[in-house]
Amino acid sequence: MESVSTARISGNMIANYVGQNVMVVGKVTQLRGETATIDANGQVHALLSRDSHLMAGNGAQIIGKVLPDLSIKVLQAMDLGNNVGMYNKGGVTASAIQLNTPLSLPE
Amino acid sequence: MSAYGGYSTTSYGAAGGEDGGGFFGGSQFGGSQGAKAVNEESLRPVTIKQIIDAEPAYAGEASFRIDGLDVKQVTFVGMVRSISPQTTNITYRLDDGTGIIEVKQWLDADKQEESRPAFREEEYVRVWGRLKSFSNKRHVGAHVIKPVKDFNEVNYHLLEAVYVHLFFTKGAPGGGSGGGGGNTTNGGANSVGGARDDSDSMFVDGGDDNSNARSLEAKVQGYSAKARKMFEYLNCAPNSGAEGHHINMIASGSGMSVGDVNEAADELLGHGTIYTTLDDETFAILDGY
């Protein structure tokens, strides 16, 4: 394909995606200045960009690059509000499609 | 909306006509063989990766197969990566985290306001459309594109795509899940989280050999006791081949009166679970779909 899609992953898969762009959906558990911790079926450490407006306790989707220390350099962040049923599902959803490789990217 | 509605009515209306107005209509004629033609026009939830990987069924024709099944109509969600308005259509590039696909929405020259999309880049949308191939490039011709208002729809859709994929590749989920698809999907999600290393057991618990019989049993959940009894008999009866079983055999074999069997047969026929074979009093299970 022309340009590469950002793989939808959960927190526990992050080690397989170093250097690639990924998409993570989860719950913001901690927000400290320019870093956030996101629970997406596994903890993800995110280095936020200046214009990302996440809220602790809300659901969030981040798109960014996985750094060698397994944190994510965020390119785009989206606040999903507090109405996303069981935030962890985002991560679980990613797990579900990844486990069924015909539906998702090859590992 | 009226001109727009005309377009989708044509396409859906034609599909309905072929099907004889019902999901099982086509199967009545050809038995299990007829199921393919019906499935082709049914709307399937997919991930974009599945669209990209769909194998062309016949050379030069806009027909594709996913998991070995012909697929034409699909629905999926994706994030809008780019919007490029053209003279005759708007081309979107959508990304759902599994792949990127082009989606074309054809413009109606009479309707000016349609040329302005109701959503922007970096927003999620849901697409209903038809798989197309043009000079070896795959795209989706959209009937409808709607912005996703509730993010839950993204997760819900992806899980539904997983569910349908597993349904076709591994059979229906085991007993106790004959209810709403939503519940089934949620249950599946939970089991993914719980048993992550054991991907094979996501929806189908127990042996795979059994899955066909289980799915048949799941189908009659919610039917009357008589209908279930008759179905059970047909399901378990020896050499229940294409000829099926006569009403008298069913009555004596299942210990019901002929009248009860008749009632049960009416119900099962109404659901499309069984069909008549040699004559109006001989029945077999419709398991072709």
Side-chain angles (χ1 to χ4, degrees):
Chain A
M1 279 308 280
E2 323 130 52
S3 75
V4 193
S5 156
T6 49
R8 182 182 292 273
I9 65 165
S10 58
N12 54 349
M13 307 171 193
I14 199 162
N16 301 331
Y17 290 88
V18 174
Q20 295 181 43
N21 284 345
V22 295
M23 185 188 297
V24 176
V25 175
K27 178 180 181 171
V28 181
T29 50
Q30 262 188 20
L31 201 56
R32 266 194 212 145
E34 303 247 305
T35 67
T37 309
I38 292 173
D39 178 21
N41 209 16
Q43 296 281 322
V44 171
H45 202 64
L47 310 173
L48 302 175
S49 58
R50 193 139 298 197
D51 58 344
S52 38
H53 302 288
L54 297 183
M55 298 261 290
N58 275 8
Q61 169 182 286
I62 57 168
I63 292 175
K65 190 173 178 179
V66 181
L67 301 177
D69 68 351
L70 302 189
S71 62
I72 294 182
K73 171 117 184 67
V74 172
L75 304 169
Q76 191 232 339
M78 191 195 269
D79 178 35
L80 302 177
N82 59 6
N83 194 29
V84 182
M86 297 172 69
Y87 302 105
N88 207 15
K89 279 258 174 62
V92 175
T93 306
S95 302
I97 60 171
Q98 291 273 1
L99 284 171
N100 292 277
T101 42
L103 278 72
S104 189
L105 299 170
E107 294 262 331
Chain B
M1 194 61 206
S2 66
Y4 193 73
Y7 175 62
S8 53
T9 310
T10 311
S11 113
Y12 284 120
E18 274 169 41
D19 292 352
F23 187 74
F24 306 111
S27 310
Q28 297 279 352
F29 309 107
S32 59
Q33 292 300 313
K36 246 186 228 164
V38 175
N39 275 339
E40 232 171 67
E41 288 297 334
S42 75
L43 180 69
R44 179 158 175 188
V46 294
T47 65
I48 291 174
K49 170 77 163 17
Q50 285 178 296
I51 298 177
I52 295 167
D53 286 353
E55 348 159 1
Y58 322 99
E61 230 182 292
S63 186
F64 296 92
R65 299 176 79 102
I66 296 175
D67 298 331
L69 268 97
D70 285 3
V71 176
K72 280 182 179 162
Q73 313 272 2
V74 293
T75 176
F76 58 93
V77 297
M79 194 184 234
V80 180
R81 285 268 175 263
S82 72
I83 304 175
S84 42
Q86 329 239 319
T87 45
T88 54
N89 69 78
I90 307 178
T91 303
Y92 304 92
R93 287 165 48 87
L94 297 190
D95 179 359
D96 70 348
T98 72
I100 295 180
I101 188 91
E102 280 193 353
V103 176
K104 287 181 193 297
Q105 185 158 46
W106 297 95
L107 297 174
D108 192 327
D110 301 333
K111 285 278 229 176
Q112 284 305 316
E113 66 266 38
E114 267 181 33
S115 57
R116 277 216 198 94
F119 33 83
R120 289 165 299 150
E121 292 172 15
E122 310 297 324
E123 273 186 1
Y124 272 102
V125 293
R126 177 179 278 274
V127 175
W128 289 265
R130 184 177 275 265
L131 274 182
K132 296 256 171 76
S133 185
F134 184 70
S135 62
N136 276 334
K137 216 167 155 233
R138 208 159 285 188
H139 71 271
V140 172
H143 301 309
V144 183
I145 305 180
K146 276 189 178 166
V148 167
K149 297 251 165 63
D150 184 341
F151 189 80
N152 289 309
E153 187 169 349
V154 177
N155 286 337
Y156 152 73
H157 168 77
L158 291 170
L159 292 173
E160 193 184 21
V162 170
Y163 173 77
V164 173
H165 162 69
L166 289 176
F167 182 90
F168 284 127
T169 53
K170 300 193 178 177
S177 53
N183 290 338
T184 316
T185 314
N186 285 343
N190 290 336
S191 74
V192 175
R196 222 167 298 134
D197 312 313
D198 190 10
S199 63
D200 281 340
S201 68
M202 273 175 62
F203 294 94
V204 183
D205 47 343
D208 278 348
D209 306 340
N210 236 346
S211 63
N212 195 34
R214 280 160 169 276
S215 73
L216 286 172
E217 271 152 33
K219 266 180 216 159
V220 289
Q221 278 192 357
Y223 291 13
S224 72
K226 287 173 193 167
R228 291 168 77 136
K229 201 167 178 187
M230 172 171 174
F231 182 85
E232 215 162 274
Y233 173 78
L234 284 174
N235 196 19
C236 301
N239 61 42
S240 46
E243 284 158 37
H245 293 265
H246 191 261
I247 192 163
N248 290 335
M249 274 170 69
I250 298 168
S252 61
S254 62
M256 294 195 287
S257 73
V258 174
D260 284 351
V261 175
N262 248 326
E263 248 176 71
D266 277 349
E267 183 178 347
L268 291 169
L269 283 170
H271 286 294
T273 313
I274 59 169
Y275 63 106
T276 55
T277 57
L278 297 174
D279 53 46
D280 284 351
E281 297 191 313
T282 311
F283 307 99
I285 291 175
L286 178 67
D287 54 4
Y289 54 92

Short mmCIF file of all heavy atoms in Angstrom, two decimals, chain B residues 71-97:
data_model
loop_
_atom_site.label_atom_id
_atom_site.label_comp_id
_atom_site.label_asym_id
_atom_site.label_seq_id
_atom_site.Cartn_x
_atom_site.Cartn_y
_atom_site.Cartn_z
N VAL B 71 -18.09 -11.05 -0.90
CA VAL B 71 -18.48 -9.83 -0.18
C VAL B 71 -18.59 -8.69 -1.17
O VAL B 71 -17.70 -8.50 -2.00
CB VAL B 71 -17.44 -9.46 0.89
CG1 VAL B 71 -17.81 -8.15 1.54
CG2 VAL B 71 -17.32 -10.54 1.93
N LYS B 72 -19.68 -7.97 -1.11
CA LYS B 72 -19.81 -6.76 -1.93
C LYS B 72 -20.06 -5.54 -1.06
O LYS B 72 -19.38 -4.55 -1.14
CB LYS B 72 -20.93 -6.92 -2.95
CG LYS B 72 -20.48 -7.73 -4.16
CD LYS B 72 -21.57 -7.83 -5.19
CE LYS B 72 -21.09 -8.63 -6.40
NZ LYS B 72 -22.23 -9.09 -7.18
N GLN B 73 -21.07 -5.65 -0.21
CA GLN B 73 -21.41 -4.52 0.65
C GLN B 73 -20.62 -4.64 1.94
O GLN B 73 -20.61 -5.68 2.57
CB GLN B 73 -22.90 -4.54 0.99
CG GLN B 73 -23.79 -4.76 -0.19
CD GLN B 73 -24.15 -3.47 -0.87
OE1 GLN B 73 -23.70 -2.39 -0.48
NE2 GLN B 73 -24.96 -3.55 -1.90
N VAL B 74 -19.99 -3.55 2.33
CA VAL B 74 -19.24 -3.57 3.58
C VAL B 74 -19.57 -2.32 4.39
O VAL B 74 -20.06 -1.32 3.85
CB VAL B 74 -17.72 -3.62 3.35
CG1 VAL B 74 -17.30 -4.93 2.72
CG2 VAL B 74 -17.25 -2.44 2.50
N THR B 75 -19.31 -2.41 5.68
CA THR B 75 -19.39 -1.22 6.52
C THR B 75 -18.15 -1.21 7.40
O THR B 75 -17.69 -2.26 7.85
CB THR B 75 -20.68 -1.19 7.35
OG1 THR B 75 -20.63 -0.05 8.22
CG2 THR B 75 -20.86 -2.43 8.19
N PHE B 76 -17.59 -0.05 7.62
CA PHE B 76 -16.42 0.05 8.49
C PHE B 76 -16.31 1.47 9.04
O PHE B 76 -16.97 2.38 8.57
CB PHE B 76 -15.14 -0.35 7.76
CG PHE B 76 -14.83 0.47 6.53
CD1 PHE B 76 -14.00 1.59 6.60
CD2 PHE B 76 -15.35 0.11 5.30
CE1 PHE B 76 -13.72 2.34 5.48
CE2 PHE B 76 -15.07 0.86 4.17
CZ PHE B 76 -14.25 1.97 4.25
N VAL B 77 -15.49 1.61 10.07
CA VAL B 77 -15.20 2.93 10.60
C VAL B 77 -13.73 3.24 10.35
O VAL B 77 -12.92 2.34 10.24
CB VAL B 77 -15.50 3.06 12.10
CG1 VAL B 77 -16.96 2.86 12.39
CG2 VAL B 77 -14.65 2.11 12.91
N GLY B 78 -13.43 4.49 10.24
CA GLY B 78 -12.04 4.87 10.03
C GLY B 78 -11.86 6.34 10.31
O GLY B 78 -12.83 7.10 10.38
N MET B 79 -10.60 6.72 10.49
CA MET B 79 -10.30 8.12 10.73
C MET B 79 -9.97 8.74 9.37
O MET B 79 -9.24 8.16 8.57
CB MET B 79 -9.09 8.20 11.65
CG MET B 79 -8.88 9.56 12.24
SD MET B 79 -7.37 9.54 13.21
CE MET B 79 -7.98 10.14 14.74
N VAL B 80 -10.53 9.91 9.12
CA VAL B 80 -10.28 10.58 7.84
C VAL B 80 -8.85 11.11 7.84
O VAL B 80 -8.49 11.93 8.68
CB VAL B 80 -11.27 11.73 7.64
CG1 VAL B 80 -11.01 12.41 6.31
CG2 VAL B 80 -12.70 11.23 7.70
N ARG B 81 -8.04 10.62 6.93
CA ARG B 81 -6.66 11.09 6.83
C ARG B 81 -6.53 12.22 5.81
O ARG B 81 -5.71 13.11 5.98
CB ARG B 81 -5.75 9.93 6.44
CG ARG B 81 -5.49 8.98 7.56
CD ARG B 81 -4.24 9.37 8.32
NE ARG B 81 -4.07 8.51 9.48
CZ ARG B 81 -4.46 8.84 10.71
NH1 ARG B 81 -5.00 10.02 10.94
NH2 ARG B 81 -4.30 8.01 11.70
N SER B 82 -7.30 12.15 4.74
CA SER B 82 -7.26 13.24 3.78
C SER B 82 -8.58 13.31 3.03
O SER B 82 -9.29 12.31 2.88
CB SER B 82 -6.11 13.06 2.79
OG SER B 82 -6.40 12.01 1.90
N ILE B 83 -8.92 14.51 2.60
CA ILE B 83 -10.14 14.73 1.82
C ILE B 83 -9.72 15.42 0.54
O ILE B 83 -9.07 16.47 0.59
CB ILE B 83 -11.14 15.64 2.57
CG1 ILE B 83 -11.46 15.05 3.94
CG2 ILE B 83 -12.40 15.84 1.76
CD1 ILE B 83 -12.35 15.94 4.80
N SER B 84 -10.02 14.83 -0.61
CA SER B 84 -9.71 15.54 -1.85
C SER B 84 -10.95 15.63 -2.73
O SER B 84 -11.35 14.65 -3.35
CB SER B 84 -8.56 14.87 -2.60
OG SER B 84 -8.70 13.48 -2.57
N PRO B 85 -11.57 16.80 -2.73
CA PRO B 85 -12.75 17.01 -3.56
C PRO B 85 -12.36 17.02 -5.04
O PRO B 85 -11.39 17.65 -5.42
CB PRO B 85 -13.25 18.39 -3.13
CG PRO B 85 -12.49 18.75 -1.90
CD PRO B 85 -11.20 18.01 -1.98
N GLN B 86 -13.10 16.27 -5.86
CA GLN B 86 -12.88 16.26 -7.30
C GLN B 86 -14.16 16.74 -7.96
O GLN B 86 -15.14 17.00 -7.28
CB GLN B 86 -12.55 14.84 -7.77
CG GLN B 86 -11.83 14.03 -6.72
CD GLN B 86 -10.49 13.54 -7.18
OE1 GLN B 86 -10.34 13.12 -8.32
NE2 GLN B 86 -9.51 13.61 -6.33
N THR B 87 -14.14 16.80 -9.29
CA THR B 87 -15.33 17.32 -9.95
C THR B 87 -16.53 16.39 -9.80
O THR B 87 -17.65 16.84 -9.63
CB THR B 87 -15.06 17.54 -11.45
OG1 THR B 87 -14.37 16.41 -11.94
CG2 THR B 87 -14.23 18.79 -11.67
N THR B 88 -16.28 15.08 -9.85
CA THR B 88 -17.41 14.15 -9.82
C THR B 88 -17.56 13.43 -8.49
O THR B 88 -18.58 12.78 -8.24
CB THR B 88 -17.26 13.09 -10.92
OG1 THR B 88 -16.00 12.47 -10.76
CG2 THR B 88 -17.39 13.70 -12.28
N ASN B 89 -16.54 13.49 -7.67
CA ASN B 89 -16.65 12.78 -6.40
C ASN B 89 -15.72 13.41 -5.37
O ASN B 89 -14.89 14.24 -5.69
CB ASN B 89 -16.30 11.30 -6.58
CG ASN B 89 -14.82 11.10 -6.88
OD1 ASN B 89 -13.98 11.15 -5.99
ND2 ASN B 89 -14.49 10.88 -8.16
N ILE B 90 -15.91 13.00 -4.13
CA ILE B 90 -14.95 13.35 -3.08
C ILE B 90 -14.22 12.07 -2.71
O ILE B 90 -14.86 11.05 -2.45
CB ILE B 90 -15.63 13.92 -1.84
CG1 ILE B 90 -16.55 15.08 -2.21
CG2 ILE B 90 -14.59 14.40 -0.84
CD1 ILE B 90 -17.30 15.64 -1.02
N THR B 91 -12.90 12.13 -2.74
CA THR B 91 -12.13 10.95 -2.36
C THR B 91 -11.56 11.15 -0.97
O THR B 91 -10.88 12.15 -0.72
CB THR B 91 -11.00 10.70 -3.37
OG1 THR B 91 -11.57 10.57 -4.67
CG2 THR B 91 -10.24 9.43 -3.03
N TYR B 92 -11.87 10.23 -0.09
CA TYR B 92 -11.33 10.26 1.27
C TYR B 92 -10.33 9.13 1.42
O TYR B 92 -10.46 8.09 0.79
CB TYR B 92 -12.44 10.03 2.30
CG TYR B 92 -13.58 10.99 2.20
CD1 TYR B 92 -14.70 10.68 1.43
CD2 TYR B 92 -13.56 12.19 2.89
CE1 TYR B 92 -15.77 11.55 1.35
CE2 TYR B 92 -14.63 13.07 2.80
CZ TYR B 92 -15.73 12.74 2.03
OH TYR B 92 -16.78 13.61 1.95
N ARG B 93 -9.34 9.36 2.24
CA ARG B 93 -8.47 8.26 2.64
C ARG B 93 -8.74 7.98 4.11
O ARG B 93 -8.60 8.87 4.96
CB ARG B 93 -7.00 8.60 2.40
CG ARG B 93 -6.66 8.59 0.91
CD ARG B 93 -5.35 9.27 0.65
NE ARG B 93 -4.34 8.78 1.59
CZ ARG B 93 -3.58 7.71 1.38
NH1 ARG B 93 -3.68 7.07 0.31
NH2 ARG B 93 -2.71 7.31 2.27
N LEU B 94 -9.17 6.77 4.41
CA LEU B 94 -9.54 6.41 5.77
C LEU B 94 -8.56 5.41 6.35
O LEU B 94 -8.10 4.50 5.67
CB LEU B 94 -10.95 5.80 5.80
CG LEU B 94 -12.11 6.70 5.35
CD1 LEU B 94 -13.42 6.02 5.67
CD2 LEU B 94 -12.04 8.05 6.02
N ASP B 95 -8.29 5.59 7.63
CA ASP B 95 -7.35 4.74 8.36
C ASP B 95 -8.06 4.27 9.63
O ASP B 95 -8.59 5.09 10.37
CB ASP B 95 -6.10 5.57 8.70
CG ASP B 95 -5.07 4.77 9.49
OD1 ASP B 95 -5.33 3.59 9.78
OD2 ASP B 95 -4.02 5.34 9.79
N ASP B 96 -8.09 2.98 9.85
CA ASP B 96 -8.72 2.50 11.09
C ASP B 96 -7.72 1.79 12.00
O ASP B 96 -8.09 1.06 12.90
CB ASP B 96 -9.91 1.58 10.78
CG ASP B 96 -9.47 0.24 10.21
OD1 ASP B 96 -8.29 0.11 9.85
OD2 ASP B 96 -10.31 -0.67 10.13
N GLY B 97 -6.44 1.99 11.74
CA GLY B 97 -5.43 1.34 12.57
C GLY B 97 -5.08 -0.05 12.08
O GLY B 97 -4.28 -0.74 12.68
#
